[in-house]
Amino acid sequence: MAVPGKVTAFRLPPLPTIGEIIKLFRLRAQKQLSQNFLLDLRLTDKIVRQAGELTNAHVCEVGPGPGGITRSILNADVAQLLLVEKDARFIPGLKMLSEAAPRKVRIVHGDILTYKMEKAFPKHLKKNWEDEPPNIHIIGNLPFSVSTPLIIKWLENVSNRDGPFFYGRTQMTLTFQKEVGERLTAKTGGRQRSRLSIMSQHLCSVENCFVIPGQAFVPQPQVDVAVVHFTPLVQPKIQQPFKLVEKVVQSVFQFRRKYCCRGIEILFPERERLKKTEQLMMMADVDPTLRPVQLSMSHFSNLCNVYRKMCDEDPSLFTYNYREELRQKRLHKNTSYSEQIEEEEDEKNQ
């Protein structure tokens, strides 16, 4: 019997198991979509606990599939749960969960990469960026094929304070391949230090919570899975626009086994490459013989700040594309060679 005056926490009524849902609706993970189902509700509960206190929270679950994590979120007594699912096959099973939790679930059949997250939650939940994070969370067991482009998109949203971060410093709890999780959290000098390390850590506090063995999923992937928690920082560690930071970081890690100056070189056109590279490295006070993985966040901040000044002085620098110049050079070389052959043939025929 309930204690008088005490509100009872919401619990889902008895439902078919996730395995039974999969059989009932004849669901099968599609390899081309890199889908893997998590059937163990103890593990889905553990994932949801990494998000923190969810009582009366507003949650968006990305790609709920057959609804394992969905059940754990609902049992955490959230106020509202938004489900964004691209695969129509899962919608009937999710509607069954929605009916078991009246007025708590909203289902959107759509692609999270294009869904307008600025309209996902009530406006009154919005907080100032400097305040504590809003009572909004994003949770998802992401398909491997979408996880990296999606987190890059959301990191850009963090930088611009739009999308799901229109409401403030919205927290995210997401799954990735173990190797990607290690890249997201790798420290300076670590073997997995990469573009993802810098882009995520300069904008967020990133925690690798725990690893789920591959055999816990159906079908079993060939890799283990990491659960990673993100909390946007009040102040980014690199005070420059997202696209500029991404360009510098991407260039540096283009040649991760070489000295960092090799990657910096491709920020500049060939005609002034050596001079500009030397100038940038000197002004940023970065040792050109350091490897990319040895560069600290402070190093990258200095590099981005100096590159920004150089771009302000010469706006064409930012639009310069190393690969395009290389392509044009090869095209010109092939054209010149073809013209030479034609000239030789003409001479023979004269």
Side-chain angles (χ1 to χ4, degrees):
M1 187 172 73
V3 178
K6 186 174 181 179
V7 178
T8 305
F10 173 84
R11 300 296 293 181
L12 281 168
L15 290 165
T17 66
I18 297 299
E20 288 167 346
I21 289 286
I22 290 171
K23 289 179 182 176
L24 179 63
F25 294 104
R26 298 179 180 178
L27 303 174
R28 181 175 294 179
Q30 294 191 359
K31 190 174 181 181
Q32 65 269 31
L33 298 178
S34 60
Q35 292 174 336
N36 303 94
F37 305 148
L38 190 56
L39 308 187
D40 189 336
L41 293 184
R42 292 170 301 178
L43 284 172
T44 61
D45 285 347
K46 189 176 180 181
I47 290 172
V48 170
R49 283 197 297 271
Q50 305 309 310
E53 177 55 57
L54 294 184
T55 304
N56 294 323
H58 288 251
V59 178
C60 172
E61 185 188 356
V62 183
I69 294 178
T70 312
R71 297 184 185 210
S72 295
I73 295 171
L74 287 170
N75 281 330
D77 203 14
V78 298
Q80 290 288 324
L81 174 57
L82 168 66
L83 304 175
V84 182
E85 177 55 66
K86 184 178 180 180
D87 193 332
R89 297 175 305 143
F90 297 120
I91 301 299
L94 296 175
K95 284 182 176 176
M96 180 184 292
L97 278 176
S98 176
E99 291 164 4
R103 299 180 298 281
K104 278 185 177 284
V105 179
R106 180 158 60 99
I107 301 170
V108 171
H109 176 209
D111 188 343
I112 193 64
L113 285 167
T114 56
Y115 181 66
K116 301 296 183 185
M117 291 291 285
E118 292 90 342
K119 300 178 180 178
F121 306 106
K123 293 290 190 294
H124 73 266
L125 296 172
K126 185 176 180 181
K127 287 196 174 185
N128 294 325
W129 194 261
E130 297 74 22
D131 294 342
E132 288 297 307
N135 201 13
I136 295 173
H137 298 261
I138 297 173
I139 300 174
N141 174 30
L142 304 178
F144 295 155
S145 60
V146 77
S147 60
T148 299
L150 182 57
I151 195 58
I152 289 294
K153 177 182 185 294
W154 276 341
L155 288 171
E156 184 169 8
N157 289 145
V158 171
S159 180
N160 297 331
R161 301 182 185 182
D162 59 12
F165 310 98
F166 164 82
Y167 302 90
R169 295 186 295 119
T170 301
Q171 297 178 79
M172 302 183 287
T173 307
L174 306 167
T175 62
F176 299 88
Q177 291 183 57
K178 182 185 174 185
E179 184 178 301
V180 176
E182 289 171 350
R183 289 176 191 167
L184 286 163
T185 55
K187 303 304 179 189
T188 305
R191 186 173 60 87
Q192 294 284 24
R193 187 76 160 174
S194 67
R195 172 183 70 123
L196 274 180
S197 315
I198 308 303
M199 298 309 297
S200 58
Q201 293 171 36
H202 106 84
L203 290 163
C204 298
S205 169
V206 190
E207 179 189 0
N208 200 333
C209 303
F210 67 98
V211 173
I212 304 173
Q215 59 261 35
F217 293 86
V218 177
Q220 180 179 334
Q222 295 180 337
V223 295
D224 294 336
V225 172
V227 178
V228 183
H229 183 77
F230 302 80
T231 304
L233 298 170
V234 173
Q235 288 292 337
K237 294 179 181 176
I238 304 174
Q239 302 283 333
Q240 296 297 342
F242 184 88
K243 292 296 184 186
L244 185 143
V245 177
E246 186 177 42
K247 185 177 182 183
V248 172
V249 173
Q250 210 163 20
S251 297
V252 168
F253 281 100
Q254 186 76 34
F255 305 97
R256 60 180 295 117
R257 291 182 177 83
K258 298 185 181 295
Y259 293 146
C260 63
C261 62
R262 178 66 186 92
I264 291 295
E265 285 178 4
I266 66 173
L267 290 170
F268 305 107
E270 188 176 28
R271 66 181 182 277
E272 53 186 359
R273 185 163 291 158
L274 294 179
K275 179 185 173 183
K276 292 285 189 183
T277 299
E278 186 179 343
Q279 181 185 348
L280 191 154
M281 301 302 289
M282 185 174 65
M283 290 175 66
D285 192 25
V286 174
D287 181 350
T289 64
L290 289 174
R291 307 286 179 180
V293 298
Q294 295 175 302
L295 296 183
S296 66
M297 196 65 73
S298 178
H299 286 137
F300 276 106
S301 179
N302 291 350
L303 290 168
C304 290
N305 290 341
V306 174
Y307 181 62
R308 171 66 183 271
K309 288 179 182 177
M310 297 172 82
C311 289
D312 287 344
E313 293 169 3
D314 178 5
S316 68
L317 265 187
F318 187 67
T319 57
Y320 167 72
N321 186 303
Y322 163 75
R323 291 187 181 278
E324 179 60 23
E325 183 179 40
L326 203 60
R327 191 183 73 82
Q328 291 293 340
K329 190 176 178 181
R330 286 172 178 164
L331 191 65
H332 178 72
K333 185 178 179 180
N334 290 339
T335 302
S336 299
Y337 180 71
S338 297
E339 289 173 349
Q340 182 183 340
I341 294 296
E342 287 176 6
E343 287 174 5
E344 290 174 355
E345 288 294 326
D346 288 342
E347 286 175 2
K348 285 180 184 178
N349 294 331
Q350 285 176 357

